[in-house]
Amino acid sequence: MAIQEMLKLDVTQRIIEAAKSKAEELNVKEDIAIVDAGGNLKAFARMDGAWLGSIDIAMRKARTTRFFDAESAKLGKMSQPGQPLYGIEFSNGGLITFGGGIPLEDSSGTIIGAIGVSGSTVANDVKVAEAGADVCRKSKWATA
Amino acid sequence: MAIQEMLKLDVTQRIIEAAKSKAEELNVKEDIAIVDAGGNLKAFARMDGAWLGSIDIAMRKARTTRFFDAESAKLGKMSQPGQPLYGIEFSNGGLITFGGGIPLEDSSGTIIGAIGVSGSTVANDVKVAEAGADVCRKSKWATA
Amino acid sequence: MAIQEMLKLDVTQRIIEAAKSKAEELNVKEDIAIVDAGGNLKAFARMDGAWLGSIDIAMRKARTTRFFDAESAKLGKMSQPGQPLYGIEFSNGGLITFGGGIPLEDSSGTIIGAIGVSGSTVANDVKVAEAGADVCRKSKWATA
Amino acid sequence: MAIQEMLKLDVTQRIIEAAKSKAEELNVKEDIAIVDAGGNLKAFARMDGAWLGSIDIAMRKARTTRFFDAESAKLGKMSQPGQPLYGIEFSNGGLITFGGGIPLEDSSGTIIGAIGVSGSTVANDVKVAEAGADVCRKSKWATA
């Protein structure tokens, strides 16, 4: 019997739908990836016309975020030349340290995964990821 | 303007739903991956409790299938010791050549992608992948 | 706040100690790796004189085991030429499908990780891994 | 008979314990990796709640340190844009060149391995690594 997962597929799909709706509202096309608490892919969707190169970036943003339990953009500030974490991107098979990765917390504030979005400007990617994370934050399932 | 995609996200999601329903009917837990005509991931879903190791296998089955426009199982017969394609798994960063990968054809019979399923016996994986491929075959969108 | 881990370091270290004691009893030298429920490395130890090549194999055995929630040897039976999972080793960056990987269950029977052992004959590797898994099975911490 | 190792497992485990104690004193959670003179992993421990992304970074810091027999931070100064070793991180499958990697010397000053620590600020990582290296420096075993 395997351990019970905290990030269920039905909630994951609602997170993706919310992110997609936000992307449509902003008129952008995004790749959306969601990883669970172990950093393993739970679901992915590529909107029609979204960049092929963003498939991998969305996944890496999600993984980077869960790996350090922080928005991917936060890491990027510390990884600039002259900053403390310069070159951290070379670890873990390649990190992505600009915005678009947001931790997924349940309603108790526990981090249970991460969402990574890529396909538009970083500012838009972050907005779309936030829309997904909001759905997770409002869910009660993970604390039940 | 990028090339118009033949495999749309909404159909892709219906394919995944059909595969998931079949898996539930069979009482198995599956990882389901769908790639487009370019062999690039379009969508992915991991059912609750499905194997972590099947994330990668489902994706590779889909990719292997589209790479050679044939069910992954067909390749596996030819890659056995002494057979013509022995060792083909070493190519393309690692192929998976047992059953569970099925080409996605539209209603005109054109191959527009592939589905890869992993998580149960190969026989069940194939049934689940077929349920997804059926949805695609009955769709008219791709020929419109 | 990150999700609470079920496989704690102090238990992990007791598992490694038990495996090491078994190896000493058998007069063999082993590499011992333990991954958590997410398949991520929790702890590792290489006994003095153990093979360098077994560092990676022990880790892969542990990961393979958790990826499919089954002893690594079980997979190996199904991955032989002519068998259903022939070539599965090409997935997940390289699986190891011979014996020496055992799921780690807590006292409730829930799988919370895996142990992988490499360094001697497969028969000895399995015995050493079992000694580690026994410690985990007798622990109450994961059900508390 | 294989070459006799200078970095024994029992000392390695005492090094890890000392590093862990320092981390607890500082109230931080660290991933701790130790490599031997050949740059190969000897032992690893991830403290409860420590970042998943630091598993790989701790190992790379240790390897980077032994590869050039210098604290990882020293390399980082020379790898900044415009500096002599700019881009050195691309070598060896990915180096990590910020602080947290310290050479392990025995009481004679001979370098016999390296410790890499990741999980907190670079300043804390260095302190924790130093606590581990101190244990090694005070040991007589390696010169016996």
Side-chain angles (χ1 to χ4, degrees):
Chain A
M1 180 178 64
I3 193 170
Q4 205 189 341
E5 298 174 35
M6 293 193 74
L7 184 55
K8 297 285 192 297
L9 183 55
D10 60 350
V11 179
T12 303
Q13 287 175 327
R14 287 202 285 123
I15 293 169
I16 286 182
E17 282 312 303
K20 203 173 62 159
S21 294
K22 187 66 174 181
E24 284 162 355
E25 183 192 316
L26 295 169
N27 201 26
V28 295
K29 295 157 182 175
E30 303 276 19
D31 290 69
I32 304 158
I34 293 183
V35 300
D36 65 12
N40 299 302
L41 193 67
K42 183 70 184 174
F44 171 84
R46 172 160 50 101
M47 292 175 69
D48 299 328
W51 290 323
L52 296 179
S54 286
I55 300 170
D56 185 64
I57 294 178
M59 290 184 192
R60 286 183 196 278
K61 282 182 182 176
R63 224 156 37 220
T64 299
T65 296
R66 171 55 189 132
F67 279 177
F68 300 97
D69 288 337
E71 297 193 18
S72 52
K74 188 177 170 191
L75 227 63
K77 283 176 192 159
M78 293 188 283
S79 72
Q80 297 295 319
Q83 296 303 308
L85 304 185
Y86 177 61
I88 195 173
E89 293 81 1
F90 286 90
S91 72
N92 292 287
L95 298 175
I96 291 294
T97 58
F98 45 88
I102 309 266
L104 290 177
E105 302 175 345
D106 70 2
S107 57
S108 75
T110 306
I111 296 176
I112 57 172
I115 180 170
V117 174
S118 175
S120 179
T121 61
V122 166
N124 281 333
D125 293 351
V126 170
K127 279 178 202 162
V128 171
E130 273 295 356
D134 281 348
V135 168
C136 194
R137 239 173 253 125
K138 284 169 193 159
S139 295
K140 274 184 298 190
W141 48 273
T143 55
Chain B
M1 186 177 65
I3 192 171
Q4 205 190 340
E5 298 174 34
M6 294 192 72
L7 184 55
K8 297 286 194 295
L9 183 56
D10 61 349
V11 179
T12 304
Q13 286 176 327
R14 287 202 286 124
I15 294 170
I16 286 182
E17 282 312 303
K20 202 173 63 158
S21 294
K22 187 65 174 183
E24 283 162 357
E25 184 192 316
L26 295 169
N27 201 26
V28 296
K29 294 158 182 174
E30 303 276 16
D31 291 70
I32 305 159
I34 293 183
V35 299
D36 64 12
N40 300 301
L41 192 68
K42 182 72 182 172
F44 171 83
R46 170 159 53 100
M47 292 175 69
D48 297 328
W51 289 324
L52 296 178
S54 286
I55 301 169
D56 185 67
I57 294 178
M59 291 184 192
R60 287 183 194 278
K61 282 182 180 176
R63 223 153 42 217
T64 298
T65 296
R66 171 58 189 129
F67 280 177
F68 300 97
D69 288 337
E71 296 194 18
S72 51
K74 190 178 169 190
L75 226 62
K77 282 176 192 159
M78 295 188 282
S79 73
Q80 297 294 319
Q83 296 304 307
L85 304 185
Y86 176 62
I88 195 172
E89 292 85 359
F90 283 94
S91 71
N92 295 285
L95 298 175
I96 288 294
T97 57
F98 46 87
I102 309 265
L104 291 177
E105 302 174 345
D106 70 1
S107 57
S108 75
T110 306
I111 295 177
I112 57 172
I115 181 171
V117 174
S118 175
S120 179
T121 62
V122 167
N124 282 334
D125 293 350
V126 169
K127 280 178 201 163
V128 171
E130 273 295 357
D134 281 349
V135 168
C136 194
R137 238 173 254 125
K138 284 167 193 159
S139 295
K140 276 184 295 190
W141 50 272
T143 55
Chain C
M1 180 178 63
I3 195 170
Q4 205 188 342
E5 298 173 35
M6 293 192 75
L7 184 54
K8 297 287 193 296
L9 182 56
D10 60 350
V11 178
T12 303
Q13 287 176 326
R14 286 201 286 124
I15 294 169
I16 286 182
E17 283 312 303
K20 202 174 63 159
S21 294
K22 187 64 174 182
E24 283 162 355
E25 182 191 318
L26 295 169
N27 201 26
V28 296
K29 295 158 182 176
E30 303 275 19
D31 291 69
I32 305 158
I34 293 182
V35 299
D36 65 13
N40 299 302
L41 192 68
K42 184 70 183 174
F44 172 83
R46 170 160 52 100
M47 292 175 69
D48 298 327
W51 290 323
L52 296 179
S54 286
I55 300 170
D56 185 63
I57 294 178
M59 290 184 192
R60 287 183 195 280
K61 282 182 181 176
R63 223 152 41 217
T64 298
T65 296
R66 171 55 189 133
F67 279 177
F68 301 97
D69 288 337
E71 296 193 19
S72 52
K74 189 178 169 192
L75 227 61
K77 282 177 192 159
M78 293 188 283
S79 72
Q80 296 296 317
Q83 296 303 308
L85 305 185
Y86 176 62
I88 195 172
E89 292 83 1
F90 286 90
S91 72
N92 293 287
L95 299 175
I96 290 295
T97 58
F98 46 88
I102 309 266
L104 290 177
E105 302 175 345
D106 71 1
S107 57
S108 75
T110 306
I111 296 176
I112 55 171
I115 181 171
V117 174
S118 176
S120 178
T121 62
V122 166
N124 282 333
D125 292 350
V126 170
K127 279 177 202 163
V128 170
E130 273 296 356
D134 280 349
V135 167
C136 194
R137 237 173 255 126
K138 284 167 193 159
S139 295
K140 275 183 297 189
W141 47 272
T143 54
Chain D
M1 185 178 65
I3 192 170
Q4 205 190 341
E5 297 174 36
M6 293 192 74
L7 183 56
K8 297 286 193 295
L9 182 55
D10 61 350
V11 178
T12 303
Q13 287 176 327
R14 286 201 287 124
I15 294 169
I16 286 182
E17 283 312 304
K20 202 174 65 160
S21 294
K22 187 66 176 180
E24 283 162 356
E25 183 193 317
L26 295 170
N27 202 25
V28 295
K29 294 157 181 174
E30 304 276 16
D31 290 70
I32 305 159
I34 294 183
V35 299
D36 64 12
N40 300 300
L41 193 67
K42 183 71 183 174
F44 170 84
R46 170 159 51 101
M47 291 175 69
D48 298 329
W51 289 324
L52 296 179
S54 286
I55 301 169
D56 185 66
I57 294 178
M59 290 184 192
R60 287 183 194 278
K61 282 181 180 177
R63 223 153 42 217
T64 299
T65 296
R66 172 57 190 128
F67 280 177
F68 300 97
D69 287 338
E71 297 194 17
S72 52
K74 190 178 170 190
L75 227 62
K77 283 176 193 160
M78 294 187 283
S79 73
Q80 297 293 321
Q83 296 303 309
L85 303 185
Y86 176 62
I88 195 172
E89 292 84 1
F90 283 94
S91 71
N92 294 287
L95 298 176
I96 289 294
T97 58
F98 45 88
I102 309 265
L104 290 177
E105 302 173 346
D106 70 1
S107 56
S108 75
T110 307
I111 295 177
I112 57 172
I115 180 171
V117 174
S118 175
S120 179
T121 61
V122 167
N124 282 333
D125 292 351
V126 170
K127 279 178 201 161
V128 170
E130 274 295 355
D134 281 349
V135 167
C136 194
R137 239 173 254 126
K138 284 167 193 158
S139 295
K140 275 184 296 190
W141 49 272
T143 54

